[in-house]
Amino acid sequence: MNTSQEQDNQFVLTVSCKTGTGIVSGITSYLSDRGCNIIELAQFDDKVTGRFFMRSVFSILPDASHTIDDLRSGFLDLAEKFDLEWAMHDAHRPTKVLIMVSRFDHCLVDLLYRHRKGELNIEITAVVSNHLDARPIAEREGIRFVHLPVTQDTKPEKEAELLKIVNETGTELVVLARYMQVLSDHLCEKLHGRAINIHHSFLPGFKGAKPYHQAFDRGVKLIGATAHYVTADLDEGPIIEQSVQPVNHAYYPEELVALGRDTETVALSRAVKLHAEHRVFLSGNKTIIFK
Protein backbone atom coordinates (compact mmCIF):
# COMPACT_ATOMS: atom_id res chain seq x y z
CA MET A 1 0.00 0.00 0.00
CA ASN A 2 1.51 3.36 -1.04
CA THR A 3 1.50 6.51 1.06
CA SER A 4 -1.59 7.97 -0.62
CA GLN A 5 -3.55 4.77 -0.09
CA GLU A 6 -2.45 4.62 3.54
CA GLN A 7 -3.73 8.16 4.11
CA ASP A 8 -7.04 7.34 2.42
CA ASN A 9 -7.38 4.36 4.73
CA GLN A 10 -7.05 6.34 7.97
CA PHE A 11 -9.97 7.20 10.21
CA VAL A 12 -10.42 9.30 13.34
CA LEU A 13 -12.56 8.09 16.23
CA THR A 14 -13.60 10.72 18.77
CA VAL A 15 -15.25 9.75 22.04
CA SER A 16 -16.50 11.56 25.13
CA CYS A 17 -18.47 10.13 28.02
CA LYS A 18 -18.79 9.97 31.77
CA THR A 19 -15.61 8.67 33.40
CA GLY A 20 -15.68 4.94 34.00
CA THR A 21 -13.72 1.71 33.79
CA GLY A 22 -13.21 -0.48 30.76
CA ILE A 23 -13.79 2.25 28.17
CA VAL A 24 -10.32 2.28 26.59
CA SER A 25 -9.94 -1.50 26.62
CA GLY A 26 -13.44 -1.92 25.19
CA ILE A 27 -12.77 0.47 22.31
CA THR A 28 -9.27 -0.76 21.48
CA SER A 29 -10.38 -4.40 21.62
CA TYR A 30 -13.31 -3.60 19.34
CA LEU A 31 -11.00 -2.08 16.72
CA SER A 32 -8.30 -4.75 17.05
CA ASP A 33 -10.78 -7.63 16.79
CA ARG A 34 -12.03 -6.22 13.49
CA GLY A 35 -8.67 -5.93 11.76
CA CYS A 36 -7.81 -2.33 12.61
CA ASN A 37 -4.38 -0.93 13.37
CA ILE A 38 -4.37 1.87 15.94
CA ILE A 39 -1.91 4.56 14.81
CA GLU A 40 -2.52 7.25 17.43
CA LEU A 41 -4.31 7.22 20.77
CA ALA A 42 -4.78 10.17 23.11
CA GLN A 43 -7.03 10.37 26.16
CA PHE A 44 -7.86 12.66 29.05
CA ASP A 45 -9.83 12.01 32.21
CA ASP A 46 -11.10 15.34 33.54
CA LYS A 47 -11.24 15.06 37.32
CA VAL A 48 -13.16 18.33 37.63
CA THR A 49 -16.07 17.50 35.31
CA GLY A 50 -15.92 13.71 35.59
CA ARG A 51 -15.80 13.42 31.81
CA PHE A 52 -13.54 11.22 29.68
CA PHE A 53 -12.23 12.22 26.24
CA MET A 54 -10.41 10.13 23.65
CA ARG A 55 -9.15 10.55 20.10
CA SER A 56 -7.82 7.63 18.10
CA VAL A 57 -6.47 7.40 14.57
CA PHE A 58 -6.71 3.94 13.04
CA SER A 59 -6.47 2.17 9.71
CA ILE A 60 -8.22 -0.94 8.41
CA LEU A 61 -5.70 -3.64 7.51
CA PRO A 62 -5.80 -4.89 3.89
CA ASP A 63 -6.93 -8.40 4.85
CA ALA A 64 -9.69 -7.22 7.18
CA SER A 65 -13.23 -8.28 6.32
CA HIS A 66 -14.85 -5.17 7.81
CA THR A 67 -15.50 -1.85 6.06
CA ILE A 68 -15.76 1.52 7.79
CA ASP A 69 -19.55 1.28 7.47
CA ASP A 70 -19.43 -2.07 9.26
CA LEU A 71 -17.30 -0.53 12.01
CA ARG A 72 -19.70 2.38 12.47
CA SER A 73 -22.81 0.21 12.67
CA GLY A 74 -21.15 -2.36 14.93
CA PHE A 75 -19.91 0.36 17.29
CA LEU A 76 -23.46 1.25 18.29
CA ASP A 77 -23.69 -1.50 20.91
CA LEU A 78 -20.43 -0.40 22.54
CA ALA A 79 -21.54 3.24 22.44
CA GLU A 80 -24.78 2.35 24.17
CA LYS A 81 -22.97 0.30 26.82
CA PHE A 82 -20.73 3.21 27.87
CA ASP A 83 -23.17 6.01 26.87
CA LEU A 84 -20.63 7.45 24.42
CA GLU A 85 -20.83 10.61 22.36
CA TRP A 86 -18.78 9.53 19.37
CA ALA A 87 -18.00 9.91 15.68
CA MET A 88 -15.83 8.12 13.12
CA HIS A 89 -14.38 10.46 10.50
CA ASP A 90 -12.50 9.73 7.28
CA ALA A 91 -9.16 11.40 8.05
CA HIS A 92 -8.51 12.26 4.40
CA ARG A 93 -11.90 13.89 3.74
CA PRO A 94 -11.64 17.69 3.90
CA THR A 95 -13.87 19.62 6.29
CA LYS A 96 -16.27 21.91 4.43
CA VAL A 97 -15.60 25.48 5.57
CA LEU A 98 -17.42 28.75 4.88
CA ILE A 99 -15.39 31.90 5.57
CA MET A 100 -16.98 35.19 6.63
CA VAL A 101 -15.07 38.45 6.38
CA SER A 102 -15.66 42.20 6.39
CA ARG A 103 -13.03 44.70 5.21
CA PHE A 104 -9.92 43.44 7.05
CA ASP A 105 -8.71 40.70 4.72
CA HIS A 106 -5.46 39.44 6.31
CA CYS A 107 -7.01 36.38 7.96
CA LEU A 108 -8.90 35.49 4.78
CA VAL A 109 -5.79 35.78 2.62
CA ASP A 110 -3.78 33.68 5.10
CA LEU A 111 -6.39 30.90 5.17
CA LEU A 112 -6.63 30.85 1.38
CA TYR A 113 -2.84 30.62 1.08
CA ARG A 114 -2.56 27.79 3.61
CA HIS A 115 -5.42 25.98 1.89
CA ARG A 116 -3.77 26.34 -1.51
CA LYS A 117 -0.47 24.99 -0.10
CA GLY A 118 -2.20 21.97 1.42
CA GLU A 119 -1.61 22.96 5.04
CA LEU A 120 -5.32 22.84 5.88
CA ASN A 121 -7.45 19.81 5.06
CA ILE A 122 -10.50 21.89 4.20
CA GLU A 123 -12.81 22.56 1.28
CA ILE A 124 -13.93 26.19 1.11
CA THR A 125 -17.60 26.28 0.17
CA ALA A 126 -17.91 30.08 -0.06
CA VAL A 127 -16.64 33.44 1.13
CA VAL A 128 -19.43 35.54 2.59
CA SER A 129 -19.06 39.24 3.34
CA ASN A 130 -21.13 42.26 4.29
CA HIS A 131 -18.85 44.31 2.00
CA LEU A 132 -17.55 43.89 -1.54
CA ASP A 133 -13.85 44.40 -0.76
CA ALA A 134 -13.01 40.67 -0.65
CA ARG A 135 -14.77 39.72 -3.89
CA PRO A 136 -11.62 39.94 -6.08
CA ILE A 137 -9.65 37.85 -3.56
CA ALA A 138 -12.22 35.05 -3.52
CA GLU A 139 -12.83 35.07 -7.26
CA ARG A 140 -9.08 34.96 -7.97
CA GLU A 141 -9.04 31.64 -6.09
CA GLY A 142 -12.11 30.39 -7.96
CA ILE A 143 -14.20 30.44 -4.79
CA ARG A 144 -17.85 31.48 -4.67
CA PHE A 145 -18.34 34.96 -3.20
CA VAL A 146 -21.63 35.94 -1.59
CA HIS A 147 -22.39 39.56 -0.69
CA LEU A 148 -24.76 39.81 2.29
CA PRO A 149 -24.94 43.48 3.37
CA VAL A 150 -26.33 43.69 6.89
CA THR A 151 -28.29 46.46 8.59
CA GLN A 152 -30.19 46.33 11.85
CA ASP A 153 -33.44 45.94 9.91
CA THR A 154 -32.20 43.27 7.48
CA LYS A 155 -30.16 41.21 9.95
CA PRO A 156 -32.73 38.41 10.48
CA GLU A 157 -33.26 38.10 6.73
CA LYS A 158 -29.52 38.00 5.95
CA GLU A 159 -28.80 35.48 8.70
CA ALA A 160 -31.54 33.27 7.28
CA GLU A 161 -29.83 33.52 3.88
CA LEU A 162 -26.52 32.59 5.49
CA LEU A 163 -28.01 29.49 7.13
CA LYS A 164 -29.52 28.52 3.79
CA ILE A 165 -26.04 28.70 2.18
CA VAL A 166 -24.56 26.69 5.07
CA ASN A 167 -27.17 23.97 4.62
CA GLU A 168 -27.11 23.91 0.82
CA THR A 169 -23.31 23.60 0.67
CA GLY A 170 -23.05 21.07 3.50
CA THR A 171 -20.79 23.49 5.38
CA GLU A 172 -19.45 21.93 8.59
CA LEU A 173 -17.50 24.89 9.96
CA VAL A 174 -18.07 28.65 9.70
CA VAL A 175 -14.96 30.78 10.20
CA LEU A 176 -15.34 34.43 11.13
CA ALA A 177 -12.10 35.79 9.69
CA ARG A 178 -12.48 39.32 11.07
CA TYR A 179 -16.19 39.48 10.31
CA MET A 180 -17.22 42.68 12.03
CA GLN A 181 -20.86 41.91 12.74
CA VAL A 182 -22.31 40.50 15.95
CA LEU A 183 -24.24 37.29 15.28
CA SER A 184 -27.70 36.95 16.79
CA ASP A 185 -28.32 34.56 19.67
CA HIS A 186 -30.41 32.43 17.32
CA LEU A 187 -27.59 32.09 14.79
CA CYS A 188 -25.05 31.36 17.54
CA GLU A 189 -27.28 28.55 18.75
CA LYS A 190 -27.65 27.12 15.23
CA LEU A 191 -23.87 27.17 14.75
CA HIS A 192 -22.98 25.90 18.23
CA GLY A 193 -19.62 24.14 18.17
CA ARG A 194 -19.10 24.75 14.46
CA ALA A 195 -18.27 28.45 14.21
CA ILE A 196 -14.86 29.92 15.06
CA ASN A 197 -14.10 33.60 15.62
CA ILE A 198 -10.79 35.43 15.94
CA HIS A 199 -10.55 38.07 18.65
CA HIS A 200 -7.81 40.66 18.93
CA SER A 201 -5.98 40.57 22.24
CA PHE A 202 -6.59 38.18 25.12
CA LEU A 203 -10.14 37.67 26.24
CA PRO A 204 -11.75 39.64 27.66
CA GLY A 205 -9.25 42.52 27.48
CA PHE A 206 -9.47 45.52 25.16
CA LYS A 207 -12.91 45.07 23.66
CA GLY A 208 -14.54 47.50 21.27
CA ALA A 209 -12.92 49.99 18.91
CA LYS A 210 -9.17 50.35 18.39
CA PRO A 211 -8.02 47.56 20.71
CA TYR A 212 -4.34 48.04 19.90
CA HIS A 213 -4.57 51.72 20.75
CA GLN A 214 -6.09 50.68 24.09
CA ALA A 215 -3.18 48.28 24.56
CA PHE A 216 -0.70 51.06 23.78
CA ASP A 217 -2.34 53.38 26.30
CA ARG A 218 -2.02 50.67 28.96
CA GLY A 219 1.65 50.02 28.14
CA VAL A 220 1.18 46.28 27.61
CA LYS A 221 4.18 43.98 27.36
CA LEU A 222 2.40 41.25 25.40
CA ILE A 223 -0.11 41.43 22.60
CA GLY A 224 -2.04 38.47 21.36
CA ALA A 225 -5.05 37.02 19.63
CA THR A 226 -7.57 34.38 20.64
CA ALA A 227 -9.47 31.98 18.39
CA HIS A 228 -12.61 30.65 20.04
CA TYR A 229 -15.95 29.07 19.32
CA VAL A 230 -18.81 31.50 18.81
CA THR A 231 -21.42 31.79 21.54
CA ALA A 232 -24.18 34.24 22.39
CA ASP A 233 -21.83 35.77 24.99
CA LEU A 234 -19.78 38.09 22.79
CA ASP A 235 -16.12 37.02 22.58
CA GLU A 236 -16.54 34.70 25.58
CA GLY A 237 -16.75 31.33 23.80
CA PRO A 238 -14.54 28.28 24.48
CA ILE A 239 -10.93 29.06 23.58
CA ILE A 240 -9.21 26.92 20.96
CA GLU A 241 -5.90 28.68 20.28
CA GLN A 242 -3.99 31.77 21.39
CA SER A 243 -0.96 33.49 19.91
CA VAL A 244 1.24 36.11 21.60
CA GLN A 245 4.19 38.37 20.84
CA PRO A 246 6.28 40.42 23.29
CA VAL A 247 6.29 44.22 22.87
CA ASN A 248 7.65 47.18 24.79
CA HIS A 249 7.37 50.97 25.10
CA ALA A 250 8.98 51.51 21.68
CA TYR A 251 6.03 50.02 19.79
CA TYR A 252 3.56 52.64 18.61
CA PRO A 253 -0.11 51.84 17.86
CA GLU A 254 0.47 51.33 14.12
CA GLU A 255 3.24 48.82 14.85
CA LEU A 256 1.03 47.01 17.35
CA VAL A 257 -1.68 46.77 14.70
CA ALA A 258 0.79 45.19 12.26
CA LEU A 259 2.00 42.70 14.87
CA GLY A 260 -1.60 42.05 15.82
CA ARG A 261 -2.39 40.98 12.27
CA ASP A 262 0.34 38.34 12.54
CA THR A 263 -0.97 36.94 15.81
CA GLU A 264 -4.52 36.87 14.47
CA THR A 265 -3.62 34.90 11.35
CA VAL A 266 -1.52 32.41 13.32
CA ALA A 267 -4.14 31.78 16.01
CA LEU A 268 -7.01 31.46 13.54
CA SER A 269 -5.24 29.12 11.11
CA ARG A 270 -4.14 26.86 13.98
CA ALA A 271 -7.67 26.75 15.35
CA VAL A 272 -9.12 25.84 11.95
CA LYS A 273 -6.50 23.11 11.53
CA LEU A 274 -7.20 21.66 14.97
CA HIS A 275 -10.94 21.60 14.32
CA ALA A 276 -10.56 20.12 10.83
CA GLU A 277 -8.41 17.32 12.23
CA HIS A 278 -11.05 16.51 14.88
CA ARG A 279 -8.70 17.35 17.75
CA VAL A 280 -11.03 19.68 19.67
CA PHE A 281 -13.63 18.57 22.21
CA LEU A 282 -16.09 20.94 23.86
CA SER A 283 -16.34 20.67 27.63
CA GLY A 284 -18.71 23.32 28.94
CA ASN A 285 -17.08 26.68 28.31
CA LYS A 286 -13.67 25.09 27.81
CA THR A 287 -12.04 22.88 25.22
CA ILE A 288 -10.05 19.67 25.45
CA ILE A 289 -7.49 19.58 22.62
CA PHE A 290 -5.26 16.68 21.59
CA LYS A 291 -2.37 18.15 19.58
Side-chain angles (χ1 to χ4, degrees):
M1 186 179 294
N2 61 38
T3 302
S4 177
Q5 289 174 319
E6 288 175 352
Q7 292 174 343
D8 290 348
N9 187 41
Q10 289 186 7
F11 305 92
V12 180
L13 170 63
T14 57
V15 167
S16 66
C17 62
K18 184 179 178 180
T19 296
T21 59
I23 301 168
V24 176
S25 61
I27 293 173
T28 54
S29 295
Y30 175 86
L31 294 174
S32 177
D33 292 345
R34 287 155 182 79
C36 297
N37 178 42
I38 297 176
I39 302 167
E40 297 178 31
L41 182 64
Q43 65 189 72
F44 177 66
D45 197 342
D46 192 334
K47 296 177 182 178
V48 174
T49 63
R51 297 286 294 176
F52 173 80
F53 304 87
M54 192 187 86
R55 178 184 183 272
S56 176
V57 180
F58 67 91
S59 62
I60 303 174
L61 297 176
D63 57 351
S65 59
H66 293 78
T67 65
I68 186 61
D69 290 334
D70 296 333
L71 292 173
R72 287 189 177 112
S73 60
F75 198 77
L76 292 172
D77 290 338
L78 193 64
E80 184 177 357
K81 176 182 178 181
F82 292 110
D83 194 20
L84 307 178
E85 295 179 20
W86 66 281
M88 284 187 190
H89 308 273
D90 294 2
H92 68 281
R93 188 185 70 80
T95 298
K96 292 187 176 182
V97 174
L98 181 148
I99 302 175
M100 301 188 72
V101 64
S102 291
R103 286 199 162 109
F104 297 110
D105 59 16
H106 52 286
C107 287
L108 170 65
V109 171
D110 181 74
L111 289 171
L112 294 179
Y113 175 80
R114 293 177 189 274
H115 170 249
R116 187 169 67 248
K117 292 299 182 181
E119 294 180 22
L120 299 174
N121 188 25
I122 62 175
E123 174 189 336
I124 301 175
T125 58
V127 171
V128 175
S129 180
N130 54 329
H131 298 282
L132 289 169
D133 303 55
R135 180 192 288 274
I137 298 171
E139 293 182 344
R140 186 170 63 239
E141 299 289 333
I143 297 170
R144 176 187 178 190
F145 179 84
V146 180
H147 182 218
L148 288 181
V150 178
T151 65
Q152 197 62 38
D153 293 333
T154 65
K155 190 168 187 172
E157 171 194 342
K158 297 304 180 182
E159 288 193 343
E161 288 184 45
L162 172 66
L163 280 176
K164 184 178 180 181
I165 296 168
V166 168
N167 294 329
E168 287 178 349
T169 58
T171 290
E172 299 162 283
L173 176 67
V174 174
V175 177
L176 278 60
R178 292 305 303 273
Y179 180 68
M180 309 306 288
Q181 287 284 328
V182 177
L183 304 186
S184 70
D185 291 358
H186 172 73
L187 185 57
C188 290
E189 182 180 339
K190 288 289 186 181
L191 297 176
H192 176 72
R194 56 191 185 114
I196 295 175
N197 185 33
I198 185 66
H199 184 274
H200 41 242
S201 188
F202 289 127
L203 301 181
F206 309 123
K207 292 182 178 180
K210 295 190 174 182
Y212 295 107
H213 290 72
Q214 295 179 48
F216 172 77
D217 290 340
R218 290 289 302 277
V220 300
K221 303 304 182 231
L222 282 174
I223 63 167
T226 300
H228 61 93
Y229 285 115
V230 174
T231 64
D233 294 326
L234 182 63
D235 295 328
E236 299 289 347
I239 294 170
I240 307 169
E241 183 68 36
Q242 293 181 297
S243 176
V244 298
Q245 291 199 51
V247 295
N248 59 38
H249 60 275
Y251 288 79
Y252 289 100
E254 294 77 14
E255 295 168 302
L256 295 180
V257 169
L259 281 174
R261 285 195 293 265
D262 292 341
T263 61
E264 289 164 15
T265 57
V266 169
L268 184 59
S269 64
R270 286 178 179 169
V272 171
K273 183 177 176 66
L274 289 167
H275 183 100
E277 294 178 355
H278 314 291
R279 296 181 180 274
V280 186
F281 294 74
L282 279 171
S283 180
N285 200 42
K286 295 167 56 178
T287 57
I288 307 298
I289 300 177
F290 296 119
K291 292 188 178 180

